[in-house]
Amino acid sequence: MELLSTGVIVMMIVVGSVTALIGLICVLYYCCVLRYKTYRGLVSLMGKNVVITGASSGIGKATALDLARRGAKVILACRNEKKTSEVIKEIREAVENADVVDYHLDLASLKSVRSFAEKIKQDVTKLDLLINNAGIGEQGKTEDGFDLMFGVNHFGPFLLTNLLLDLLIRSAPSRIINLSSLAHRFSPEFDFTEEVKDGVRYPHLASYPISKMAVNLFTHELSRRLTNTQVSVCSVHPGIVYTGGIDKVLTRGGCCRKLFMPFFRSIMRSPEAGAQCVIHCAIDESVRELSGSYFVDCQVGKESTKASDEELAKQLWDVSCTATGLV
Ligand SMILES: NC(=O)c1ccc[n+]([C@@H]2O[C@H](COP(=O)([O-])OP(=O)(O)OC[C@H]3O[C@@H](n4cnc5c(N)ncnc54)[C@H](OP(=O)(O)O)[C@@H]3O)[C@@H](O)[C@H]2O)c1
């Protein structure tokens, strides 16, 4: 009897410890991943013009809705007309008199980037905010033969930003926001030598973490080049967010998608939560003085040492000019 009760006590201790450990992990996970800062500034953006790439879903769509609510003219720079017109309909239903329009942009085509920039410069006399949000984690090749991830996540936005730079400088004070990722920290070793393999240019840069490392390096170099202007630039990690990108990965898993979707949704941020740091960087006055910084949760975050390497950033700039034909 005494033995049995000792066994029960030991079991209770084990169960109690395991429960406490699971509880602790859940609290830590909530604090480190799910908890986020909401941007609470009530700033009006009446009279401001915004371009946001990849606004047809996820964080871009949530950001576009918020900025439209604040009265900005929001230009959705997207590749899928059908999806984008749905988003415009949703925004107009949610926001009375929303000023939101759709311009075609495919970041996997330098030709498309050039014609988009031309059209913007023809139609808009002032650009207050450029949000390079579109991003991709899929493999493939761009129209110009670059690796798809590096092409869409870096070369396309690099060319787009440079082509719109004179307009942004004329419209100053203005801002540029580049969507990066915590993943940049996991970037393998790389260099920027020109390589071609199986028809793909720069195949050794075919990695999501490398493409996001490039976003941070580009942000630093651009900020240095904009020192004497009133254009500020920053990069943002939005958190781990349940969006179309994650959905695509699950869809590849076929029937598992339905099973795992609720689980993944519950352990990730919503797109609205993911948009908060972008909105903070787009609006908050404090950000203007912090050009070049990497933001996480509405404050300056810690990036990898390599991401702020000045020499590497200069090399990337030169390589990107050559690759995109920017003179
Ligand atoms: N979700 C996360 O956990 C997370 C974490 C860190 C960083 N980020 C970054 O945050 C940004 C937004 O991600 P998200 O999660 O909101 O992704 P998402 O829902 O998959 O949306 C990506 C957007 O980019 C667009 N896009 C893709 N390829 C394009 C191209 N060639 N030309 C123009 N637009 C293109 C997509 O357009 P379509 O609708 O036509 O496909 C879509 O609108 C990305 O830069 C991503 O890398 C996300």
Side-chain angles (χ1 to χ4, degrees):
M1 183 71 184
E2 210 174 86
L3 242 178
L4 183 71
S5 54
T6 310
V8 170
I9 289 168
V10 170
M11 209 157 90
M12 280 171 71
I13 290 172
V14 170
V15 170
S17 307
V18 170
T19 311
L21 187 66
I22 291 172
L24 186 68
I25 291 170
C26 289
V27 171
L28 277 176
Y29 188 81
Y30 172 78
C31 292
C32 299
V33 178
L34 290 183
R35 195 177 57 162
Y36 63 93
K37 285 205 187 105
T38 303
Y39 182 68
R40 299 203 185 276
L42 297 172
V43 181
S44 161
L45 295 179
M46 230 19 135
K48 304 279 185 197
N49 294 336
V50 177
V51 166
I52 172 160
T53 68
S56 59
S57 68
I59 298 161
K61 177 179 162 187
T63 307
L65 174 61
D66 184 282
L67 301 182
R69 271 210 178 99
R70 292 171 190 273
K73 176 187 180 74
V74 186
I75 298 169
L76 311 182
C78 302
R79 62 177 174 171
N80 184 326
E81 245 171 72
K82 192 164 170 280
K83 265 173 91 176
T84 317
S85 55
E86 281 298 312
V87 171
I88 290 186
K89 199 167 147 233
E90 271 182 57
I91 295 179
R92 288 194 180 139
E93 273 166 17
V95 182
E96 209 180 324
N97 299 324
D99 191 355
V100 52
V101 288
D102 165 26
Y103 278 43
H104 184 264
L105 170 69
D106 182 357
L107 288 160
S109 155
L110 297 181
K111 192 171 153 217
S112 168
V113 173
R114 286 183 185 280
S115 65
F116 171 84
E118 272 314 306
K119 198 161 184 323
I120 289 290
K121 288 199 268 191
Q122 269 169 24
D123 296 359
V124 178
T125 50
K126 179 170 88 90
L127 180 58
D128 303 278
L129 181 59
L130 167 65
I131 305 180
N132 286 312
N133 163 80
I136 202 161
E138 289 159 53
Q139 289 176 337
K141 196 165 95 170
T142 71
E143 191 179 278
D144 309 276
F146 304 126
D147 160 65
L148 190 62
M149 271 184 277
F150 204 82
V152 171
N153 297 354
H154 173 66
F155 284 144
F158 172 86
L159 180 63
L160 176 65
T161 307
N162 274 288
L163 294 177
L164 294 178
L165 217 47
D166 52 349
L167 180 59
L168 284 154
I169 293 171
R170 268 190 274 125
S171 316
S174 52
R175 299 185 190 198
I176 301 163
I177 299 168
N178 299 323
L179 267 285
S180 177
S181 168
L182 175 74
H184 82 273
R185 288 184 155 278
F186 306 108
S187 164
E189 282 304 311
F190 63 91
D191 59 47
F192 291 126
T193 48
E194 167 111 48
E195 277 183 34
V196 182
K197 195 177 161 195
D198 300 331
V200 180
R201 295 168 69 191
Y202 304 98
H204 56 304
L205 302 180
S207 135
Y208 183 76
I210 296 181
S211 73
K212 290 300 177 182
M213 171 73 83
V215 170
N216 286 36
L217 291 166
F218 168 50
T219 303
H220 284 295
E221 184 59 23
L222 183 60
S223 165
R224 278 189 283 274
R225 287 169 186 253
L226 290 172
T227 303
N228 292 320
T229 68
Q230 284 214 64
V231 185
S232 66
V233 51
C234 63
S235 59
V236 169
H237 166 61
I240 298 173
V241 187
Y242 189 92
T243 59
I246 311 281
D247 222 34
K248 267 183 208 151
V249 175
L250 288 181
T251 307
R252 269 181 239 138
C255 62
C256 298
R257 180 175 175 267
K258 274 207 175 96
L259 196 69
F260 289 115
M261 202 171 69
F263 171 70
F264 281 110
R265 247 186 224 286
S266 68
I267 61 162
M268 292 181 192
R269 290 181 183 176
S270 66
E272 292 69 30
Q276 295 307 310
C277 186
V278 182
I279 297 163
H280 171 86
C281 290
I283 297 174
D284 203 71
E285 242 346 278
S286 64
V287 176
R288 198 169 291 292
E289 303 304 315
L290 298 166
S291 187
S293 301
Y294 166 70
F295 282 79
V296 181
D297 270 337
C298 303
Q299 58 196 11
V300 175
K302 201 167 158 25
E303 60 190 332
S304 74
T305 320
K306 197 170 181 173
S308 55
D309 181 319
E310 228 177 293
E311 196 41 48
L312 199 60
K314 283 197 184 101
Q315 278 175 27
L316 174 65
W317 189 278
D318 293 342
V319 163
S320 308
C321 286
T322 310
T324 60
L326 194 75
V327 281

